[in-house]
């Protein structure tokens, strides 16, 4: 599903280049549930952005579902993000002026579906996540746990090849966090491939496999 | 993404930011209203010129004399074009002048000044010293006889006089036009009731009159009541022998609708005496001969009145001058509208830049979940276009609303569908052009950078 070979990434700091990721080799099989565990500044978010095709590597090779991402144009990467990746963000990243339904169906609209088709397709996901009674609400009217469920629903609705979760419980209370992790396990059991980054070992332990990242280097 | 879905998102954005939309579109509102009013006032001006001159004979040439006291201003008018030429027959008698008639027209009309012969001061002195001249029926007959290519000639004058009678409770001043029998035909005047003045009435100096429609209504209430009634001009009774149809035009400096026409000789005998400044109107047989006829008229007059300058103007040139003046006004208004549009467009661009800045995080979210550059560009561009369209529609409505106010200032406004469509088009194009750059910038944002923007 994911194959990364010798990935390097750095950012310019004045005249000097600060290395963030160093010779990363990473492999994820279809149906896996992997947690990337690391402290702040370790490079885990940068790695996540590269896996999610939102940032580009300086060198190395990256294959997602058989596609050479390192050799793909920005326009094509847009399609990859829409079709193959489902993002779940720590701070939910919902569009505040849209209601729950409008937020959830956005990835489907981007595929060219009309409003009605998209709403029909996402009805099952909405039921699965228990958001039936909230579809007309704006994000500001939801609790943190509900917002994260909307974010998960939006990630799931397009049936992506992989779910990428960036600190999914970081902004939630303990109870809501547990619910989300339980949901991830259920989704994984349903066949979804999940890669989650976290700095919390307890959260990481909900995954089937843990990979540690320290100073831009990956350790199994 | 489907266009209909992008439009739906644009609609959502607009209804959630109504106040911003209104404020942003103010520039376009003003611009569109201005464009529509410019077109309407321009068209109205053209229509007014056309209407004013619709009954004017294109081959008509008016010859007038103005005394030395008002000469300076008249000279400028003649010199600056517009069809009037100032003729100085005295050139033939100047020390350096040649013989013959040709000099008058050539110097006054073409070279536009006396300095050709010497100092301007010398020319001015000549003008001041010229005799006070009154054109007469003899001059009219001379022009009829000696100027080739003339189909008809008439002479007329106008004066103000006190009028009483009819339903009026007190005396009022009206324009009294002393005219000959052929004046009506030459000026394309039509009668609503009765007949125009006759040669016999003129020769016997009868106290009869023909009223313009507006004057008839004001004095008697209607044309029917006016006909065959008696009114008093300078306390003398005149029988109304006819009433003109509503003309709306000006002929030989007289507005027929508000004038009272009396026989030429009657007016001189009972109203004006000899203190008149008549206008001789000559009709050229062919419009193409107008310049030639003017030259010959000037030659004949120069022979009769050495050292005298007349103002000669033809109808075609009057129309050109009026149209040119109207076009200048239109150009000025268009320039103003363009400036307003540019200012409005910059306003839209500024607001959209702020909007892009405000929505950077949302753009990041959209990009993260797979929204293409094209879709983001389209969304912002359509938002700009919709704001402009809303502004343009309000502008058109505003133009419709202020039209009665503008008309209060006696400005003719001719609203048209084309004007409305053009102002809508200009509004939308301006918004779209100025909205493109912010939309383009939004579409080029890097997802991860946009997403991390607070």
């Amino acid at each position: 599903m994911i194959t990364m070979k010798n990935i390097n990434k750095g950012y310019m700091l004045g005249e000097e280049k600060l290395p963030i990721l160093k010779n990363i080799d990473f492999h994820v099989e279809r149906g896996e549930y992997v947690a990337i565990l690391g402290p702040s500044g370790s490079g885990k978010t940068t790695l996540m952005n590269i896996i999610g095709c939102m940032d580009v590597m300086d060198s190395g090779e990256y294959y997602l579902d058989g596609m050479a991402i390192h050799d793909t144009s920005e326009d094509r990467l847009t399609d990859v993000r829409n079709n193959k990746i489902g993002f779940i963000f720590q701070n939910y990243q919902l569009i505040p002026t849209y209601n729950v339904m409008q937020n959830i169906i956005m990835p489907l609209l981007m595929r060219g579906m009309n409003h009605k088709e998209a709403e029909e397709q996402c009805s099952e996901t909405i039921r699965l996540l228990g958001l039936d009674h909230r579809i007309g609400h704006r994000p500001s009217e939801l609790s943190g746990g509900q917002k994260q469920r909307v974010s998960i629903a939006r990630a799931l609705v397009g049936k992506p090849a992989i779910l990428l979760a960036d600190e999914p419980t970081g902004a939630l209370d303990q109870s809501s966090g547990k619910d989300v992790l339980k949901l991830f396990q259920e989704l994984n059991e349903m066949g979804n491939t999940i890669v989650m980054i976290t700095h919390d070992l307890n959260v990481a332990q909900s995954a089937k496999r843990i990979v540690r990242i320290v100073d831009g280097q990956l350790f199994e | 993404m489907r266009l209909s879905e992008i439009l739906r998102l644009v609609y959502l954005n607009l209804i959630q930011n109504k106040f911003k939309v209104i404020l942003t579109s103010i520039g376009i509102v003003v611009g569109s209203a201005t464009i529509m009013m410019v077109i309407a006032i321009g068209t109205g001006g053209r229509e007014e010129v056309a209407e004013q001159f619709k009954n004017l004979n294109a081959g008509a040439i008016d010859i007038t004399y103005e005394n030395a006291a008002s000469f300076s201003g008249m000279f400028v008018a003649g010199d600056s074009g517009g069809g009037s030429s100032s003729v100085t027959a005295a050139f033939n008698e100047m020390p350096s002048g040649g013989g013959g008639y040709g000099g008058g027209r050539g110097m006054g009309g073409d070279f536009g000044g006396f300095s050709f012969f010497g100092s301007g001061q010398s020319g001015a002195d000549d003008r001041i010293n010229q005799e006070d001249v009154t054109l007469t029926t003899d001059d009219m007959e001379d022009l009829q006889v000696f100027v080739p290519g003339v189909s008809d000639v008439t002479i007329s004058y106008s004066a103000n006089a006190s009028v009483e009678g009819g339903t009026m409770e007190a005396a009022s001043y009206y324009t009294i036009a002393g005219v000959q029998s052929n004046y009506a035909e030459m000026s394309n005047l039509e009668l609503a009731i009765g007949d125009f003045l006759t040669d016999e009435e003129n020769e016997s100096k009868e106290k009869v009159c023909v009223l313009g429609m507006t004057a008839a209504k004001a004095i008697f209430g209607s044309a029917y009541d006016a006909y065959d009634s008696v009114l008093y001009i300078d306390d003398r009774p005149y029988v109304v022998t006819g009433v003109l149809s509503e003309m709306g035009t000006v002929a030989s400096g007289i507005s027929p609708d508000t004038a009272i026409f009396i026989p030429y000789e009657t007016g001189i005998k009972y109203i004006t005496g000899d203190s008149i400044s008549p206008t001789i109107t000559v009709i050229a047989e062919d419009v193409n001969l107008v310049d030639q006829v003017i030259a010959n008229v000037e030659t004949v007059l120069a022979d009769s009145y050495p050292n005298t300058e007349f103002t000669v103007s033809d109808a075609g040139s009057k129309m050109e001058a009026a149209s040119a003046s109207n076009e200048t006004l239109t150009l000025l208004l268009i320039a103003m509208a363009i400036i307003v549009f540019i200012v409005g467009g910059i306003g839209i661009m500024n607001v959209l830049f702020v909007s892009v800045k405000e929505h950077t995080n949302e753009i990041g979210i959209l990009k993260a979940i797979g929204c293409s550059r094209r879709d983001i560009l389209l969304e912002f561009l359509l938002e700009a276009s919709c704001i402009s369209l809303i502004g343009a529609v309000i502008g058109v409505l505003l133009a419709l609303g202020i039209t009665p106010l503008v008309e209060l200032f006696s400005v003719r406004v001719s609203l048209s569908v084309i004007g409305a469509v053009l102002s809508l088009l200009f509004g939308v194009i301006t918004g779209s052009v100025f909205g493109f750059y912010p939309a383009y910038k939004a579409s080029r944002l890097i997802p991860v950078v946009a997403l991390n923007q607070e």
Side-chain angles (χ1 to χ4, degrees):
Chain A
M1 175 63 62
I2 292 175
T3 302
M4 301 183 106
K5 293 178 187 170
N6 203 23
I7 299 291
N8 287 282
K9 173 74 179 176
Y11 292 113
M12 293 303 293
L13 201 68
E15 295 289 303
E16 224 173 295
K17 190 160 195 173
L18 184 69
I20 304 297
L21 300 179
K22 301 165 193 169
N23 304 314
I24 299 280
D25 289 320
F26 183 47
H27 187 82
V28 177
E29 288 292 339
R30 191 179 299 275
E32 268 197 290
Y33 179 12
V34 183
I36 300 171
L37 178 67
S40 292
S42 60
K44 58 184 187 300
T45 300
T46 302
L47 179 60
M48 185 77 165
N49 287 335
I50 290 173
I51 294 171
C53 303
M54 291 209 295
D55 204 353
V56 288
M57 65 219 89
D58 294 338
S59 63
E61 293 176 18
Y62 170 29
Y63 298 91
L64 174 63
D65 209 14
M67 187 175 180
I69 300 298
H70 56 275
D71 205 19
T72 302
S73 68
E74 169 56 30
D75 285 342
R76 189 79 190 90
L77 287 180
T78 300
D79 286 341
V80 172
R81 287 196 293 270
N82 184 235
N83 290 293
K84 293 188 181 296
I85 299 167
F87 275 104
I88 299 153
F89 300 96
Q90 178 181 353
N91 50 358
Y92 329 119
Q93 299 287 22
L94 302 175
I95 296 175
T97 50
Y98 296 172
N99 63 29
V100 167
M101 177 62 87
Q102 287 161 346
N103 268 288
I104 292 173
I105 63 173
M106 281 309 291
L108 300 178
L109 297 181
M110 286 163 193
R111 289 183 189 180
M113 278 188 195
N114 69 32
H115 211 77
K116 202 175 171 190
E117 289 168 349
E119 283 186 8
E120 280 170 11
Q121 181 160 328
C122 73
S123 59
E124 195 186 329
T125 310
I126 286 172
R127 265 198 306 279
L128 177 74
L129 290 162
L131 292 167
D132 315 52
H133 59 298
R134 293 288 186 186
I135 54 171
H137 291 230
R138 299 262 176 90
S140 58
E141 297 163 339
L142 305 176
S143 69
Q146 287 168 333
K147 284 180 196 172
Q148 194 58 291
R149 282 173 179 273
V150 175
S151 178
I152 293 167
R154 184 180 62 190
L156 279 174
V157 77
K159 296 185 172 48
I162 184 168
L163 283 174
L164 292 179
D166 179 4
E167 302 274 13
T169 59
L172 299 178
D173 58 56
Q174 205 172 3
S175 165
S176 301
K178 276 184 182 172
D179 288 345
V180 167
L181 294 177
K182 193 177 167 206
L183 182 62
F184 276 18
Q185 284 169 337
E186 287 169 9
L187 290 172
N188 180 240
E189 280 162 18
M190 290 162 71
N192 290 289
T193 308
I194 302 172
V195 175
M196 171 177 68
I197 64 167
T198 181
H199 66 278
D200 187 336
L201 180 61
N202 291 328
V203 172
Q205 280 171 339
S206 70
K208 289 178 179 171
R209 178 181 151 209
I210 297 175
V211 178
R212 292 173 190 272
I213 183 166
V214 181
D215 287 337
Q217 288 181 305
L218 216 55
F219 303 96
E220 286 285 343
Chain B
M1 202 187 295
R2 289 187 184 190
L3 186 63
S4 58
E5 295 304 331
I6 295 177
L7 283 170
R8 186 193 288 268
L9 295 181
V10 170
Y11 171 74
L12 276 174
N13 285 340
L14 293 181
I15 58 164
Q16 282 162 9
N17 297 287
K18 293 184 198 83
F19 192 61
K20 186 188 90 177
V21 170
I22 298 294
L23 285 181
T24 309
S25 63
I26 282 175
I28 299 298
V29 170
V30 177
S32 293
T34 310
I35 280 279
M36 185 148 170
M37 291 308 289
V38 163
I39 293 170
I41 290 171
T43 309
R46 273 194 299 278
E47 284 175 4
E48 192 152 303
V49 169
E51 196 170 287
Q52 275 181 0
F53 291 98
K54 72 180 177 190
N55 291 327
L56 204 60
N57 194 320
I61 300 158
D62 285 343
I63 303 124
T64 54
Y65 168 79
E66 290 184 42
N67 62 27
S70 62
F71 183 83
S72 177
M74 192 187 78
F75 178 77
V76 171
D79 189 44
S80 61
S84 294
S85 63
S86 302
V87 185
T88 303
F91 289 146
N92 296 331
E93 296 172 14
M94 283 181 172
S96 57
Y101 287 117
R105 165 70 173 170
M107 301 324 300
D110 295 339
F111 294 107
F114 290 89
S115 58
F116 184 77
F117 281 94
S119 72
Q121 184 61 49
S122 165
D125 290 344
D126 288 339
R127 294 194 300 274
I128 291 164
N129 292 334
Q130 70 188 21
E131 293 171 20
D132 203 11
V133 167
T134 302
L135 290 168
T136 65
T137 49
D138 291 340
D139 299 320
M140 181 190 81
E141 282 159 14
D142 282 351
L143 294 176
Q144 177 100 62
V145 172
F146 297 116
V147 176
V150 168
S151 65
D152 208 352
V153 183
T154 193
I155 188 164
S156 60
Y157 59 85
S158 65
N160 278 332
S162 161
V163 174
E164 287 179 279
T167 58
M168 292 196 303
E169 290 177 358
S172 283
Y173 277 86
Y174 275 85
T175 299
I176 310 297
V179 298
Q180 298 200 317
S181 62
N182 60 351
Y183 182 88
E185 191 185 344
M186 288 175 64
S187 301
N188 296 322
L189 301 182
E190 290 167 13
L191 280 138
I193 187 167
D195 298 306
F196 201 69
L197 307 168
T198 63
D199 285 336
E200 291 73 33
E201 288 165 345
N202 187 40
E203 281 161 19
S204 56
K205 297 170 185 153
E206 283 186 35
K207 293 199 282 295
V208 291
C209 66
V210 170
L211 303 182
M213 182 58 86
T214 309
K217 285 179 182 171
I219 298 168
F220 291 99
S222 72
Y224 180 78
D225 291 332
Y227 179 63
D228 219 16
S229 298
V230 174
L231 59 75
Y232 293 84
I233 304 174
D234 278 355
D235 299 327
R236 289 190 177 86
Y238 287 74
V239 176
V240 179
T241 60
V243 177
L244 297 176
S245 299
E246 201 153 328
M247 306 305 297
T249 58
V250 175
S252 303
I254 298 164
S255 173
D257 289 340
T258 55
I260 298 172
F261 294 89
I262 59 171
Y264 187 86
E265 296 296 345
T266 306
I268 290 175
K269 182 176 179 183
Y270 296 112
I271 300 173
T272 62
D274 290 331
S275 58
I276 52 173
S277 295
T279 297
I280 293 178
T281 304
V282 172
I283 305 291
E285 281 175 356
D286 188 332
V287 177
N288 298 323
L289 292 176
V290 167
D291 282 346
Q292 193 183 324
V293 170
I294 287 174
N296 290 329
V297 163
E298 290 166 349
T299 304
V300 171
L301 290 175
D303 192 36
S304 305
Y305 301 100
N307 196 25
T308 304
E309 188 160 336
F310 295 94
T311 301
V312 181
S313 61
D314 64 287
S317 299
K318 279 180 188 169
M319 289 170 74
E320 276 175 27
S323 297
S325 161
N326 187 49
E327 277 165 21
T328 305
L329 178 70
T330 305
L331 279 176
L332 193 73
L333 291 171
I334 286 173
M336 200 174 86
I338 288 171
I339 291 168
V340 170
F341 264 123
I342 290 172
V343 172
I346 291 169
I348 281 196
M349 192 159 70
N350 277 337
V351 173
L352 280 177
F353 266 127
V354 172
S355 183
V356 168
K357 192 84 181 161
E358 281 174 356
H359 292 95
T360 300
N361 182 253
E362 287 173 34
I363 294 166
I365 297 169
L366 291 173
K367 288 204 151 204
I369 60 177
C371 194
S372 66
R373 285 175 178 172
R374 171 189 157 275
D375 289 347
I376 288 171
L377 178 78
L378 260 181
E379 187 184 336
F380 275 87
L381 202 54
L382 285 171
E383 193 175 321
S385 302
C386 286
I387 291 172
S388 311
L389 182 65
I390 291 165
V393 169
I394 297 173
V396 167
L397 295 176
L398 182 69
L400 292 174
I402 61 172
T403 295
L405 295 177
V406 175
E407 284 173 335
L408 282 180
F409 294 96
S410 300
V411 176
R412 182 160 172 165
V413 182
S414 182
L415 295 169
S416 63
V417 175
I418 291 175
V421 170
L422 277 177
S423 56
L424 285 175
L425 212 61
F426 268 107
V428 174
I429 288 171
T430 304
S432 304
V433 166
F434 282 91
F436 181 82
Y437 187 59
Y440 175 77
K441 292 282 277 185
S443 73
R444 306 299 292 189
L445 284 171
I446 298 165
V448 69
V449 175
L451 203 56
N452 292 326
Q453 189 90 33
E454 287 300 321

